[in-house]
Structures are given as C-alpha cells and as structure tokens.
Amino acid sequence: LTTSPQFKNRPKGIKFKPAYILADGDFVYMQNRKKLPGKKVLIQHTFRLNEDGKIDEHWSTSTVVDPEKSKNPKALY
C-alpha cells in the first residue's frame, strides 16, 4: 500500500477506523473515526456515483468529539 504524497509527513499517533458504510441508490455514506494526539474526530463522507460506478461528487464534514460529554460515548470509539 502506498501513501499519497500529501500524507507522508502527517503526525505520528494518528489512528483511522472506518465505522459505517451505507449505500442508497447512487449515494454512498461513510463515517470514519480518527484519533489524533489529544482529540477524537468523526468524519462523514458522502459520495455520488455516476452510471459507471465511479465517484462523481464528494462532500465531507468533520467534528471533534469529547467522549466525556457525549450521550453515548461507546458509539464514538
């Protein structure tokens, strides 16, 4: 597995974990969990696929989460 050049110098200690992947028609939704030193982040990706099954559009959002304040900390990590 090769790493894209833009990620070669990323900080050590980052953990990445796919959490959910859902598909509905030509849309795919994916939630990832990322652990950075000192914080945890949820990332939501939405993809729209074209008729060839390739990604035509992509949107993403992210939020830093505090498991201590979450109503369901077990769902986060």
Side-chain angles (χ1 to χ4, degrees):
L1 180 66
T2 59
T3 303
S4 297
Q6 68 265 30
F7 298 116
K8 285 199 181 280
N9 295 321
R10 69 182 180 183
K12 302 290 183 205
I14 293 176
K15 304 283 185 188
F16 175 80
K17 178 180 171 186
Y20 303 101
I21 299 175
L22 303 166
D24 183 18
D26 57 351
F27 286 93
V28 175
Y29 309 94
M30 181 172 66
Q31 184 186 81
N32 301 308
R33 298 168 182 173
K34 186 191 261 187
K35 287 186 182 181
L36 301 165
K39 60 178 141 173
K40 297 178 180 180
V41 181
L42 288 177
I43 305 166
Q44 171 70 43
H45 295 278
T46 304
F47 302 95
R48 188 179 63 77
L49 307 178
N50 63 23
E51 56 277 351
D52 296 325
K54 296 182 179 182
I55 296 172
D56 225 9
E57 295 182 71
H58 169 245
W59 305 269
S60 65
T61 61
S62 64
T63 185
V64 175
V65 230
D66 183 351
E68 302 289 323
K69 295 179 182 177
S70 173
K71 293 182 181 181
N72 185 1
K74 291 183 180 183
L76 299 176
Y77 288 84

